[in-house]
């Protein structure tokens, strides 16, 4: 397994990977246009994992100079428990830390087994915060739980 910087040409295979997890939310931000714009702004924190020539994992992260945010950590099912998720998170955390970011956040559905993965990686669940959302363009995702 090797990890490379994420590139626009990875998009199609990444969408296949993300779509393979039913609970994984894909929104308008995951259009090719949205994906490309995100990489233009945050490419330094986004990584793709390859096994031979096949895309088997991903992590995207962005920052606003105060906090970092993690998106689309995913590893192909056949590769779970192979250390790929940990290696991807280490890459993006190192890049964010080197950019001066002190703290990172992520949104996760409350029954996602990946919570245990994150706990092992040093994350802690927050019971003191409630997430609030407001749709600014269209109403497609209002009330569906989509982030
Ligand atoms: C979360 C995910 C990326 C983990 O990837 P992975 O490659 O299987 O993780 P790793 O092999 O690097 O695991 C690192 C550690 O976490 C543990 N771990 C991984 N998944 C776990 C789980 N579901 N429950 C408990 N522990 C878990 C591993 O055993 C390992 O422990 P160790 O360091 O003591 O050996 C993967 O399960 C996945 O793609 N899930 C579906 C997508 C998803 O829900 N992503 C999160 C969206 S917020």
């Amino acid at each position: 397994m090797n990890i490379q910087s994420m590139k626009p040409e990875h998009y199609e295979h990444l969408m296949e990977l993300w779509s393979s997890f039913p609970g994984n939310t894909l929104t308008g931000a995951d259009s090719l246009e949205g994906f490309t714009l995100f990489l233009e702004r945050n490419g330094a924190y986004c990584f793709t994992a390859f096994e031979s020539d096949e895309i088997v994992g991903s992590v995207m992260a962005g920052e606003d100079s105060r906090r970092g945010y993690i998106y689309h950590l995913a590893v192909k099912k056949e590769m779970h428990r192979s250390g790929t998720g940990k290696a991807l998170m280490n890459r993006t955390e190192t890049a964010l830390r080197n950019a001066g970011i002190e703290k990172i956040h992520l949104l996760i559905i409350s029954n996602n087994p990946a919570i245990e993965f994150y706990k092992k990686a040093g994350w802690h669940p927050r019971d003191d915060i409630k997430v609030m959302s407001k749709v600014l363009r269209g109403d497609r995702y209002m009330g569906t739980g989509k982030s």
Side-chain angles (χ1 to χ4, degrees):
M1 187 269 298
N2 75 86
I3 294 178
Q4 301 176 18
S5 292
M6 191 173 278
K7 298 197 174 65
E9 53 265 35
H10 300 165
Y11 177 73
E12 205 176 308
H13 292 291
L14 290 171
M15 284 293 281
E16 277 173 32
L17 173 67
W18 300 334
S19 306
S20 70
F21 299 104
N24 197 358
T25 305
L26 296 173
T27 72
D30 296 302
S31 64
L32 177 58
E33 188 188 13
F35 175 79
T36 306
L37 182 60
F38 192 88
L39 286 188
E40 278 170 20
R41 292 189 186 176
N42 294 292
Y45 316 114
C46 301
F47 298 94
T48 306
F50 287 83
E51 180 70 30
S52 303
D53 284 338
E54 189 196 354
I55 286 177
V56 296
S58 68
V59 66
M60 298 180 79
E63 49 95 357
D64 56 17
S65 84
R66 287 173 61 93
R67 297 290 182 244
Y69 301 90
I70 305 296
Y71 305 99
H72 286 324
L73 175 70
V75 171
K76 189 179 169 179
K77 287 189 190 93
E78 293 75 9
M79 295 273 297
H80 281 184
R81 310 291 178 113
S82 65
T84 305
K86 193 174 179 174
L88 283 161
M89 281 304 298
N90 284 342
R91 284 293 291 269
T92 196
E93 285 181 21
T94 299
L96 288 160
R97 189 180 298 110
N98 289 343
I101 301 300
E102 294 176 327
K103 190 186 277 187
I104 52 181
H105 299 299
L106 60 84
L107 296 174
I108 186 163
I109 302 296
S110 54
N111 63 357
N112 188 331
I115 288 172
E116 295 308 313
F117 162 88
Y118 285 117
K119 283 183 182 169
K120 279 196 170 172
W123 290 73
H124 59 278
R126 297 289 295 265
D127 299 325
D128 55 334
I129 289 175
K130 193 146 185 80
V131 174
M132 295 184 69
S133 307
K134 181 174 180 178
V135 175
L136 292 182
R137 297 186 66 180
D139 61 357
R140 272 196 302 165
Y141 304 115
M142 185 60 90
T144 64
K146 296 192 174 197
S147 56

